[in-house]
Amino acid sequence: AADETGRWAAGSGWGGGAGILLPMNGRAGITIPTVVADDEGPALDELLFLLKEFGEIEVVGTARNGVEAVERIEALEPDLVFLDVDMPGMNGFELCTKLRGLPAYKSTPVVFVTSLTDFESRASSMMSGGNDFIAKPFLFMELAVKALIYVMRSKLAPATR
C-alpha cells in the first residue's frame, strides 16, 4: 500500500526505487529456493534482508565458508545461489567451479556478490561458471533487477528438476 506521500511502503508487496515498481512477495505463486554464502556477518545479513523483499526468492540456507556452502547446496538443492568470493576453506570461484562439475548444478544460476571489483575478479567469476556479478557495496536496485531477472527466467524456463 502507498504511504501518505504516495510512495509504496515497505512490506506492501511492492518494492523498487527511482520510480520503478517491482512485483514481489510471492504474487506469482512461484518461489525460487536460494542459498546465500558470505563469511562477513553484516554483508550476509544485508543480503538476506534485501532478498526477503522478494517473495519469489526463498532463502533456504546460508553458509559462512565455501565448504559449508557445498554441503548446504548439495543438501538443499537450490535453484539460485549467491556467493561471496573471499571465503575461508574454499573461495567462491573454486566453489562455483566445483558446482559446475556436479551434474545437478551445471546450469544453476550463480551470482557473485563481492567487494573484489577488478577486471581479473570479474573474469574469474565468468571463467568459474558464474552467471552474474554484483559489486559490494551494491545498490538495492541492482540486486532487485538481477534477482527479478532470475525470477522471470525461472517462470519462462521449463522445469528441469
Side-chain angles (χ1 to χ4, degrees):
D3 65 13
E4 62 277 354
T5 66
R7 291 178 297 193
W8 290 96
S12 67
W14 292 87
I20 299 171
L21 298 176
L22 302 173
M24 298 179 189
N25 295 330
R27 292 181 183 267
I30 185 173
T31 58
I32 301 173
T34 303
V35 167
V36 179
D38 196 321
D39 65 317
E40 297 175 8
L44 180 61
D45 292 343
E46 179 181 12
L47 193 54
L48 293 174
F49 176 79
L50 293 174
L51 288 173
K52 195 180 258 188
E53 289 294 313
F54 294 89
E56 288 90 351
I57 295 179
E58 178 187 4
V59 178
V60 294
T62 62
R64 300 295 292 262
N65 62 62
V67 174
E68 190 177 87
V70 171
E71 292 169 0
R72 297 284 190 286
I73 291 166
E74 288 180 328
L76 299 170
E77 300 180 349
D79 292 332
L80 178 60
V81 177
F82 286 91
L83 295 179
D84 184 22
V85 173
D86 263 341
M87 293 186 292
M90 178 186 311
N91 73 36
F93 300 142
E94 294 165 336
L95 173 55
C96 190
T97 300
K98 182 177 181 83
L99 288 177
R100 294 303 183 225
L102 300 172
Y105 301 102
K106 282 191 180 294
S107 61
T108 301
V110 174
V111 179
F112 286 101
V113 183
T114 181
S115 59
L116 302 176
T117 59
D118 58 284
F119 176 77
E120 184 178 338
S121 296
R122 289 179 181 270
S124 293
S125 75
M126 299 307 273
M127 297 294 288
S128 67
N131 298 81
D132 219 325
F133 189 98
I134 300 174
K136 291 178 189 173
F138 55 86
L139 299 172
F140 170 75
M141 198 61 201
E142 181 180 17
L143 179 67
V145 167
K146 291 188 178 191
L148 186 61
I149 287 169
Y150 292 104
V151 168
M152 297 308 291
R153 283 183 182 165
S154 73
K155 290 178 188 175
L156 297 174
T160 56
R161 278 198 263 182

